[in-house]
Amino acid sequence: MQTDEHWMRRAIELSARGEGTVEPNPMVGCVLVRDDMVIGEGWHQTFGSHHAEVNAIRNATGDVTGATAYVTLEPCSHHGKTPPCCQALIDASVARVVVAVNDPDPRVAGKGITALRAAGIHVTEGVLSNEATGVLAPYLKRTSTGKPWVIAKWAMTMDGKIATAAGDSQWISNESSRAIVHQIRGRVDAVMVGSGTALVDDPMLNARPVGIRTATRVVFDSRASVSLESQLVQTANRYPTLIAVSHQAEIEKLQQLQARGCDVIVSRGATHTQRLNDLLIELGSRGVTNLLVEGGGGLLGLMNDLRQIDEVHAFIGPKLVGGQGVWPVAGDGAQAMGDAAAYYLIRAEPIHGDAYCVWRKRSD
């Protein structure tokens, strides 16, 4: 007989299939089991559509009565774009529900489990919670803190430079690595750069080819220095573009940006750190769950000082620059090694000569 962990692991695998299509909702998977056999599977497929539990019930090959439902996140108990999932499980007459992670959304937050138990359904909590949290982490952060999951990306040489001392950076990584970056852009909610990168690189920041999402392009630009002739501004009517400025930016320039289709938000924060924190809260309030930050070092340094870099995607090209060069993360930094943000490696693979590494932050 298979264990609860076995079936929950399958539900976690299913949940990951919703990446890029369900946000700002969570990625959730569900497996229905009776007599040690799977009779139904489902996952949340697209935002606004049926949730994992309903899909599993609809996909069931037989009577669900008396089955055990393995769900990666606590079934919702409120009416949103769809009816509550806990009621669907109750109506299906399942005998038991196994939950990996409790939902911190105040509209749920234990109410789903309470409703299931009140209906006479046995509930087991916390099965493979760490593994499920890995998939749910972006949703859990936004729901708990109001800020998006921040993915930092950079390409660097073997000696850790993202550009030479003269500022030359093209190209450190190869075409295959750059294709992966476009894939990431195509499944996140927003892509951010600082004013320096917008000025020097004049990027488009869109996914090529088009991904499953169209990310909002964000420029952290306190003085509204982005050029009206830049690719970002010139294409603002085609791709959502947000310019985050300080209250000291020139009103005329803000009006010009808005006239060209840019969304301008103004922070009254006195420092870059305060304004960046304001921006993260604003993005979270707009439903941005996954935020890709492509630099440069100044912006990533601010993110690091705020302890807001949750995940790092580093592409290491087989080159040595030497000298001073430009580092990927600036800012104030940690004064002692024990104060540095700590991460754990979740992926490392060769990409036609480059090395592609992904780390996630350990809990503070």
Side-chain angles (χ1 to χ4, degrees), residues 295-329:
L299 177 57
L300 287 170
L302 288 173
M303 283 287 187
N304 182 52
D305 290 341
L306 282 171
R307 294 275 182 161
Q308 289 299 312
I309 296 179
D310 302 294
E311 189 170 304
V312 174
H313 291 242
F315 298 86
I316 305 169
K319 297 174 182 174
L320 287 173
V321 169
Q324 296 301 312
V326 181
W327 302 99
V329 181

PDB file of all heavy atoms in Angstrom, residues 295-329:
ATOM      1  N   GLY A 295      18.655  43.572 -13.293  1.00  0.00           N
ATOM      2  CA  GLY A 295      19.781  44.447 -12.956  1.00  0.00           C
ATOM      3  C   GLY A 295      19.545  45.864 -13.384  1.00  0.00           C
ATOM      4  O   GLY A 295      18.417  46.257 -13.637  1.00  0.00           O
ATOM      5  N   GLY A 296      20.669  46.593 -13.310  1.00  0.00           N
ATOM      6  CA  GLY A 296      22.049  46.198 -13.017  1.00  0.00           C
ATOM      7  C   GLY A 296      22.365  46.053 -11.549  1.00  0.00           C
ATOM      8  O   GLY A 296      21.501  45.879 -10.685  1.00  0.00           O
ATOM      9  N   GLY A 297      23.689  46.191 -11.263  1.00  0.00           N
ATOM     10  CA  GLY A 297      24.182  45.952  -9.940  1.00  0.00           C
ATOM     11  C   GLY A 297      23.615  46.867  -8.879  1.00  0.00           C
ATOM     12  O   GLY A 297      23.444  46.465  -7.726  1.00  0.00           O
ATOM     13  N   GLY A 298      23.307  48.107  -9.248  1.00  0.00           N
ATOM     14  CA  GLY A 298      22.744  49.038  -8.277  1.00  0.00           C
ATOM     15  C   GLY A 298      21.374  48.599  -7.798  1.00  0.00           C
ATOM     16  O   GLY A 298      21.089  48.574  -6.595  1.00  0.00           O
ATOM     17  N   LEU A 299      20.507  48.245  -8.744  1.00  0.00           N
ATOM     18  CA  LEU A 299      19.157  47.806  -8.393  1.00  0.00           C
ATOM     19  C   LEU A 299      19.201  46.484  -7.629  1.00  0.00           C
ATOM     20  O   LEU A 299      18.520  46.320  -6.614  1.00  0.00           O
ATOM     21  CB  LEU A 299      18.316  47.667  -9.657  1.00  0.00           C
ATOM     22  CG  LEU A 299      16.888  47.144  -9.471  1.00  0.00           C
ATOM     23  CD1 LEU A 299      16.102  48.015  -8.504  1.00  0.00           C
ATOM     24  CD2 LEU A 299      16.174  47.048 -10.821  1.00  0.00           C
ATOM     25  N   LEU A 300      20.020  45.546  -8.098  1.00  0.00           N
ATOM     26  CA  LEU A 300      20.122  44.272  -7.398  1.00  0.00           C
ATOM     27  C   LEU A 300      20.729  44.461  -6.011  1.00  0.00           C
ATOM     28  O   LEU A 300      20.385  43.740  -5.063  1.00  0.00           O
ATOM     29  CB  LEU A 300      20.947  43.286  -8.218  1.00  0.00           C
ATOM     30  CG  LEU A 300      20.239  42.727  -9.454  1.00  0.00           C
ATOM     31  CD1 LEU A 300      21.214  41.960 -10.335  1.00  0.00           C
ATOM     32  CD2 LEU A 300      19.077  41.827  -9.047  1.00  0.00           C
ATOM     33  N   GLY A 301      21.626  45.442  -5.873  1.00  0.00           N
ATOM     34  CA  GLY A 301      22.179  45.740  -4.560  1.00  0.00           C
ATOM     35  C   GLY A 301      21.120  46.246  -3.598  1.00  0.00           C
ATOM     36  O   GLY A 301      21.084  45.858  -2.422  1.00  0.00           O
ATOM     37  N   LEU A 302      20.245  47.118  -4.091  1.00  0.00           N
ATOM     38  CA  LEU A 302      19.140  47.598  -3.255  1.00  0.00           C
ATOM     39  C   LEU A 302      18.224  46.441  -2.850  1.00  0.00           C
ATOM     40  O   LEU A 302      17.787  46.345  -1.699  1.00  0.00           O
ATOM     41  CB  LEU A 302      18.337  48.662  -4.006  1.00  0.00           C
ATOM     42  CG  LEU A 302      18.978  50.034  -4.196  1.00  0.00           C
ATOM     43  CD1 LEU A 302      18.108  50.891  -5.103  1.00  0.00           C
ATOM     44  CD2 LEU A 302      19.158  50.722  -2.847  1.00  0.00           C
ATOM     45  N   MET A 303      17.930  45.570  -3.815  1.00  0.00           N
ATOM     46  CA  MET A 303      17.092  44.404  -3.511  1.00  0.00           C
ATOM     47  C   MET A 303      17.744  43.531  -2.443  1.00  0.00           C
ATOM     48  O   MET A 303      17.078  43.046  -1.522  1.00  0.00           O
ATOM     49  CB  MET A 303      16.872  43.580  -4.781  1.00  0.00           C
ATOM     50  CG  MET A 303      15.862  44.144  -5.746  1.00  0.00           C
ATOM     51  SD  MET A 303      14.159  43.952  -5.147  1.00  0.00           S
ATOM     52  CE  MET A 303      13.298  44.515  -6.630  1.00  0.00           C
ATOM     53  N   ASN A 304      19.055  43.351  -2.570  1.00  0.00           N
ATOM     54  CA  ASN A 304      19.764  42.533  -1.593  1.00  0.00           C
ATOM     55  C   ASN A 304      19.763  43.190  -0.221  1.00  0.00           C
ATOM     56  O   ASN A 304      19.573  42.520   0.799  1.00  0.00           O
ATOM     57  CB  ASN A 304      21.198  42.289  -2.071  1.00  0.00           C
ATOM     58  CG  ASN A 304      21.986  41.406  -1.134  1.00  0.00           C
ATOM     59  OD1 ASN A 304      21.545  40.318  -0.766  1.00  0.00           O
ATOM     60  ND2 ASN A 304      23.156  41.858  -0.711  1.00  0.00           N
ATOM     61  N   ASP A 305      19.974  44.499  -0.179  1.00  0.00           N
ATOM     62  CA  ASP A 305      19.965  45.209   1.103  1.00  0.00           C
ATOM     63  C   ASP A 305      18.599  45.105   1.775  1.00  0.00           C
ATOM     64  O   ASP A 305      18.510  45.088   3.008  1.00  0.00           O
ATOM     65  CB  ASP A 305      20.342  46.673   0.902  1.00  0.00           C
ATOM     66  CG  ASP A 305      21.808  46.858   0.516  1.00  0.00           C
ATOM     67  OD1 ASP A 305      22.602  45.923   0.763  1.00  0.00           O
ATOM     68  OD2 ASP A 305      22.141  47.925  -0.038  1.00  0.00           O
ATOM     69  N   LEU A 306      17.545  45.034   0.965  1.00  0.00           N
ATOM     70  CA  LEU A 306      16.190  44.866   1.504  1.00  0.00           C
ATOM     71  C   LEU A 306      15.864  43.412   1.834  1.00  0.00           C
ATOM     72  O   LEU A 306      14.784  43.121   2.323  1.00  0.00           O
ATOM     73  CB  LEU A 306      15.150  45.387   0.499  1.00  0.00           C
ATOM     74  CG  LEU A 306      14.944  46.891   0.415  1.00  0.00           C
ATOM     75  CD1 LEU A 306      14.057  47.237  -0.783  1.00  0.00           C
ATOM     76  CD2 LEU A 306      14.309  47.414   1.696  1.00  0.00           C
ATOM     77  N   ARG A 307      16.792  42.503   1.528  1.00  0.00           N
ATOM     78  CA  ARG A 307      16.569  41.060   1.725  1.00  0.00           C
ATOM     79  C   ARG A 307      15.371  40.577   0.914  1.00  0.00           C
ATOM     80  O   ARG A 307      14.586  39.738   1.368  1.00  0.00           O
ATOM     81  CB  ARG A 307      16.344  40.739   3.209  1.00  0.00           C
ATOM     82  CG  ARG A 307      17.561  40.979   4.075  1.00  0.00           C
ATOM     83  CD  ARG A 307      18.471  39.769   4.056  1.00  0.00           C
ATOM     84  NE  ARG A 307      19.628  39.952   4.932  1.00  0.00           N
ATOM     85  CZ  ARG A 307      20.374  38.960   5.393  1.00  0.00           C
ATOM     86  NH1 ARG A 307      20.073  37.712   5.063  1.00  0.00           N
ATOM     87  NH2 ARG A 307      21.416  39.195   6.145  1.00  0.00           N
ATOM     88  N   GLN A 308      15.253  41.081  -0.302  1.00  0.00           N
ATOM     89  CA  GLN A 308      14.099  40.741  -1.127  1.00  0.00           C
ATOM     90  C   GLN A 308      14.442  39.857  -2.316  1.00  0.00           C
ATOM     91  O   GLN A 308      13.562  39.554  -3.122  1.00  0.00           O
ATOM     92  CB  GLN A 308      13.416  42.024  -1.614  1.00  0.00           C
ATOM     93  CG  GLN A 308      12.687  42.788  -0.537  1.00  0.00           C
ATOM     94  CD  GLN A 308      11.573  41.966   0.101  1.00  0.00           C
ATOM     95  OE1 GLN A 308      10.760  41.351  -0.577  1.00  0.00           O
ATOM     96  NE2 GLN A 308      11.555  41.918   1.429  1.00  0.00           N
ATOM     97  N   ILE A 309      15.687  39.421  -2.471  1.00  0.00           N
ATOM     98  CA  ILE A 309      16.019  38.496  -3.555  1.00  0.00           C
ATOM     99  C   ILE A 309      15.722  37.081  -3.081  1.00  0.00           C
ATOM    100  O   ILE A 309      16.397  36.545  -2.209  1.00  0.00           O
ATOM    101  CB  ILE A 309      17.486  38.628  -3.983  1.00  0.00           C
ATOM    102  CG1 ILE A 309      17.742  40.029  -4.557  1.00  0.00           C
ATOM    103  CG2 ILE A 309      17.834  37.563  -5.020  1.00  0.00           C
ATOM    104  CD1 ILE A 309      19.180  40.268  -4.992  1.00  0.00           C
ATOM    105  N   ASP A 310      14.696  36.484  -3.650  1.00  0.00           N
ATOM    106  CA  ASP A 310      14.250  35.165  -3.228  1.00  0.00           C
ATOM    107  C   ASP A 310      14.893  34.044  -4.033  1.00  0.00           C
ATOM    108  O   ASP A 310      15.040  32.923  -3.539  1.00  0.00           O
ATOM    109  CB  ASP A 310      12.726  35.067  -3.362  1.00  0.00           C
ATOM    110  CG  ASP A 310      12.013  36.120  -2.553  1.00  0.00           C
ATOM    111  OD1 ASP A 310      12.103  36.074  -1.313  1.00  0.00           O
ATOM    112  OD2 ASP A 310      11.378  37.016  -3.149  1.00  0.00           O
ATOM    113  N   GLU A 311      15.255  34.348  -5.270  1.00  0.00           N
ATOM    114  CA  GLU A 311      15.766  33.311  -6.167  1.00  0.00           C
ATOM    115  C   GLU A 311      16.781  33.968  -7.103  1.00  0.00           C
ATOM    116  O   GLU A 311      16.578  35.095  -7.551  1.00  0.00           O
ATOM    117  CB  GLU A 311      14.596  32.708  -6.951  1.00  0.00           C
ATOM    118  CG  GLU A 311      14.890  31.489  -7.774  1.00  0.00           C
ATOM    119  CD  GLU A 311      13.599  30.848  -8.291  1.00  0.00           C
ATOM    120  OE1 GLU A 311      12.728  30.518  -7.469  1.00  0.00           O
ATOM    121  OE2 GLU A 311      13.455  30.697  -9.510  1.00  0.00           O
ATOM    122  N   VAL A 312      17.857  33.255  -7.391  1.00  0.00           N
ATOM    123  CA  VAL A 312      18.903  33.775  -8.278  1.00  0.00           C
ATOM    124  C   VAL A 312      19.094  32.818  -9.440  1.00  0.00           C
ATOM    125  O   VAL A 312      19.247  31.608  -9.237  1.00  0.00           O
ATOM    126  CB  VAL A 312      20.237  33.949  -7.526  1.00  0.00           C
ATOM    127  CG1 VAL A 312      21.340  34.343  -8.504  1.00  0.00           C
ATOM    128  CG2 VAL A 312      20.113  34.985  -6.423  1.00  0.00           C
ATOM    129  N   HIS A 313      19.067  33.363 -10.658  1.00  0.00           N
ATOM    130  CA  HIS A 313      19.397  32.612 -11.862  1.00  0.00           C
ATOM    131  C   HIS A 313      20.660  33.237 -12.438  1.00  0.00           C
ATOM    132  O   HIS A 313      20.632  34.364 -12.951  1.00  0.00           O
ATOM    133  CB  HIS A 313      18.265  32.678 -12.884  1.00  0.00           C
ATOM    134  CG  HIS A 313      17.043  31.930 -12.481  1.00  0.00           C
ATOM    135  ND1 HIS A 313      16.539  30.869 -13.198  1.00  0.00           N
ATOM    136  CD2 HIS A 313      16.214  32.083 -11.414  1.00  0.00           C
ATOM    137  CE1 HIS A 313      15.465  30.397 -12.596  1.00  0.00           C
ATOM    138  NE2 HIS A 313      15.244  31.128 -11.511  1.00  0.00           N
ATOM    139  N   ALA A 314      21.787  32.529 -12.328  1.00  0.00           N
ATOM    140  CA  ALA A 314      23.068  33.048 -12.799  1.00  0.00           C
ATOM    141  C   ALA A 314      23.567  32.215 -13.966  1.00  0.00           C
ATOM    142  O   ALA A 314      23.617  30.983 -13.889  1.00  0.00           O
ATOM    143  CB  ALA A 314      24.086  33.031 -11.666  1.00  0.00           C
ATOM    144  N   PHE A 315      23.933  32.897 -15.036  1.00  0.00           N
ATOM    145  CA  PHE A 315      24.513  32.261 -16.214  1.00  0.00           C
ATOM    146  C   PHE A 315      25.997  32.628 -16.236  1.00  0.00           C
ATOM    147  O   PHE A 315      26.348  33.805 -16.351  1.00  0.00           O
ATOM    148  CB  PHE A 315      23.818  32.742 -17.485  1.00  0.00           C
ATOM    149  CG  PHE A 315      22.357  32.385 -17.520  1.00  0.00           C
ATOM    150  CD1 PHE A 315      21.409  33.210 -16.918  1.00  0.00           C
ATOM    151  CD2 PHE A 315      21.926  31.227 -18.142  1.00  0.00           C
ATOM    152  CE1 PHE A 315      20.062  32.881 -16.939  1.00  0.00           C
ATOM    153  CE2 PHE A 315      20.580  30.886 -18.172  1.00  0.00           C
ATOM    154  CZ  PHE A 315      19.646  31.706 -17.566  1.00  0.00           C
ATOM    155  N   ILE A 316      26.856  31.633 -16.094  1.00  0.00           N
ATOM    156  CA  ILE A 316      28.283  31.869 -15.969  1.00  0.00           C
ATOM    157  C   ILE A 316      28.964  31.510 -17.282  1.00  0.00           C
ATOM    158  O   ILE A 316      28.971  30.342 -17.695  1.00  0.00           O
ATOM    159  CB  ILE A 316      28.867  31.049 -14.808  1.00  0.00           C
ATOM    160  CG1 ILE A 316      28.100  31.356 -13.514  1.00  0.00           C
ATOM    161  CG2 ILE A 316      30.364  31.359 -14.633  1.00  0.00           C
ATOM    162  CD1 ILE A 316      28.424  30.415 -12.374  1.00  0.00           C
ATOM    163  N   GLY A 317      29.488  32.527 -17.951  1.00  0.00           N
ATOM    164  CA  GLY A 317      30.159  32.315 -19.224  1.00  0.00           C
ATOM    165  C   GLY A 317      31.625  31.954 -19.013  1.00  0.00           C
ATOM    166  O   GLY A 317      32.252  32.424 -18.054  1.00  0.00           O
ATOM    167  N   PRO A 318      32.219  31.151 -19.892  1.00  0.00           N
ATOM    168  CA  PRO A 318      33.600  30.677 -19.725  1.00  0.00           C
ATOM    169  C   PRO A 318      34.629  31.725 -20.135  1.00  0.00           C
ATOM    170  O   PRO A 318      35.421  31.532 -21.067  1.00  0.00           O
ATOM    171  CB  PRO A 318      33.641  29.436 -20.620  1.00  0.00           C
ATOM    172  CG  PRO A 318      32.670  29.745 -21.718  1.00  0.00           C
ATOM    173  CD  PRO A 318      31.567  30.544 -21.081  1.00  0.00           C
ATOM    174  N   LYS A 319      34.620  32.860 -19.437  1.00  0.00           N
ATOM    175  CA  LYS A 319      35.525  33.963 -19.758  1.00  0.00           C
ATOM    176  C   LYS A 319      36.079  34.562 -18.470  1.00  0.00           C
ATOM    177  O   LYS A 319      35.417  34.553 -17.430  1.00  0.00           O
ATOM    178  CB  LYS A 319      34.788  35.051 -20.549  1.00  0.00           C
ATOM    179  CG  LYS A 319      34.262  34.580 -21.898  1.00  0.00           C
ATOM    180  CD  LYS A 319      33.425  35.634 -22.580  1.00  0.00           C
ATOM    181  CE  LYS A 319      32.891  35.085 -23.900  1.00  0.00           C
ATOM    182  NZ  LYS A 319      31.951  36.012 -24.547  1.00  0.00           N
ATOM    183  N   LEU A 320      37.301  35.082 -18.552  1.00  0.00           N
ATOM    184  CA  LEU A 320      37.928  35.816 -17.458  1.00  0.00           C
ATOM    185  C   LEU A 320      38.203  37.240 -17.921  1.00  0.00           C
ATOM    186  O   LEU A 320      38.879  37.448 -18.924  1.00  0.00           O
ATOM    187  CB  LEU A 320      39.235  35.149 -17.036  1.00  0.00           C
ATOM    188  CG  LEU A 320      39.131  33.824 -16.266  1.00  0.00           C
ATOM    189  CD1 LEU A 320      40.526  33.228 -16.073  1.00  0.00           C
ATOM    190  CD2 LEU A 320      38.464  34.037 -14.912  1.00  0.00           C
ATOM    191  N   VAL A 321      37.669  38.200 -17.190  1.00  0.00           N
ATOM    192  CA  VAL A 321      37.855  39.604 -17.529  1.00  0.00           C
ATOM    193  C   VAL A 321      39.046  40.185 -16.775  1.00  0.00           C
ATOM    194  O   VAL A 321      39.882  40.890 -17.332  1.00  0.00           O
ATOM    195  CB  VAL A 321      36.574  40.415 -17.218  1.00  0.00           C
ATOM    196  CG1 VAL A 321      36.851  41.911 -17.306  1.00  0.00           C
ATOM    197  CG2 VAL A 321      35.473  40.034 -18.188  1.00  0.00           C
ATOM    198  N   GLY A 322      39.126  39.887 -15.467  1.00  0.00           N
ATOM    199  CA  GLY A 322      40.177  40.468 -14.650  1.00  0.00           C
ATOM    200  C   GLY A 322      39.944  41.945 -14.391  1.00  0.00           C
ATOM    201  O   GLY A 322      38.916  42.517 -14.779  1.00  0.00           O
ATOM    202  N   GLY A 323      40.891  42.596 -13.732  1.00  0.00           N
ATOM    203  CA  GLY A 323      40.758  44.020 -13.464  1.00  0.00           C
ATOM    204  C   GLY A 323      39.598  44.336 -12.536  1.00  0.00           C
ATOM    205  O   GLY A 323      39.173  43.524 -11.730  1.00  0.00           O
ATOM    206  N   GLN A 324      39.085  45.519 -12.681  1.00  0.00           N
ATOM    207  CA  GLN A 324      37.987  45.969 -11.815  1.00  0.00           C
ATOM    208  C   GLN A 324      36.650  45.381 -12.273  1.00  0.00           C
ATOM    209  O   GLN A 324      36.045  44.588 -11.611  1.00  0.00           O
ATOM    210  CB  GLN A 324      37.942  47.504 -11.797  1.00  0.00           C
ATOM    211  CG  GLN A 324      39.176  48.148 -11.194  1.00  0.00           C
ATOM    212  CD  GLN A 324      39.418  47.709  -9.760  1.00  0.00           C
ATOM    213  OE1 GLN A 324      38.509  47.721  -8.948  1.00  0.00           O
ATOM    214  NE2 GLN A 324      40.660  47.317  -9.474  1.00  0.00           N
ATOM    215  N   GLY A 325      36.209  45.771 -13.450  1.00  0.00           N
ATOM    216  CA  GLY A 325      34.961  45.238 -13.959  1.00  0.00           C
ATOM    217  C   GLY A 325      33.755  45.680 -13.142  1.00  0.00           C
ATOM    218  O   GLY A 325      33.853  46.491 -12.226  1.00  0.00           O
ATOM    219  N   VAL A 326      32.596  45.146 -13.508  1.00  0.00           N
ATOM    220  CA  VAL A 326      31.332  45.494 -12.859  1.00  0.00           C
ATOM    221  C   VAL A 326      30.774  44.241 -12.197  1.00  0.00           C
ATOM    222  O   VAL A 326      30.688  43.182 -12.825  1.00  0.00           O
ATOM    223  CB  VAL A 326      30.316  46.054 -13.887  1.00  0.00           C
ATOM    224  CG1 VAL A 326      29.024  46.440 -13.186  1.00  0.00           C
ATOM    225  CG2 VAL A 326      30.913  47.245 -14.627  1.00  0.00           C
ATOM    226  N   TRP A 327      30.377  44.380 -10.947  1.00  0.00           N
ATOM    227  CA  TRP A 327      29.852  43.249 -10.183  1.00  0.00           C
ATOM    228  C   TRP A 327      28.338  43.169 -10.323  1.00  0.00           C
ATOM    229  O   TRP A 327      27.656  44.189 -10.520  1.00  0.00           O
ATOM    230  CB  TRP A 327      30.223  43.382  -8.712  1.00  0.00           C
ATOM    231  CG  TRP A 327      31.691  43.474  -8.470  1.00  0.00           C
ATOM    232  CD1 TRP A 327      32.429  44.608  -8.249  1.00  0.00           C
ATOM    233  CD2 TRP A 327      32.624  42.392  -8.474  1.00  0.00           C
ATOM    234  NE1 TRP A 327      33.750  44.306  -8.097  1.00  0.00           N
ATOM    235  CE2 TRP A 327      33.910  42.944  -8.228  1.00  0.00           C
ATOM    236  CE3 TRP A 327      32.503  41.015  -8.647  1.00  0.00           C
ATOM    237  CZ2 TRP A 327      35.052  42.171  -8.152  1.00  0.00           C
ATOM    238  CZ3 TRP A 327      33.649  40.237  -8.569  1.00  0.00           C
ATOM    239  CH2 TRP A 327      34.910  40.802  -8.324  1.00  0.00           C
ATOM    240  N   PRO A 328      27.746  41.974 -10.186  1.00  0.00           N
ATOM    241  CA  PRO A 328      26.299  41.838 -10.375  1.00  0.00           C
ATOM    242  C   PRO A 328      25.460  42.454  -9.266  1.00  0.00           C
ATOM    243  O   PRO A 328      24.333  42.878  -9.506  1.00  0.00           O
ATOM    244  CB  PRO A 328      26.086  40.315 -10.436  1.00  0.00           C
ATOM    245  CG  PRO A 328      27.280  39.723  -9.782  1.00  0.00           C
ATOM    246  CD  PRO A 328      28.409  40.662 -10.062  1.00  0.00           C
ATOM    247  N   VAL A 329      26.008  42.510  -8.033  1.00  0.00           N
ATOM    248  CA  VAL A 329      25.233  43.025  -6.900  1.00  0.00           C
ATOM    249  C   VAL A 329      26.081  44.056  -6.163  1.00  0.00           C
ATOM    250  O   VAL A 329      27.161  43.739  -5.655  1.00  0.00           O
ATOM    251  CB  VAL A 329      24.825  41.891  -5.927  1.00  0.00           C
ATOM    252  CG1 VAL A 329      23.987  42.456  -4.778  1.00  0.00           C
ATOM    253  CG2 VAL A 329      24.045  40.806  -6.665  1.00  0.00           C
TER     254      VAL A 329
END
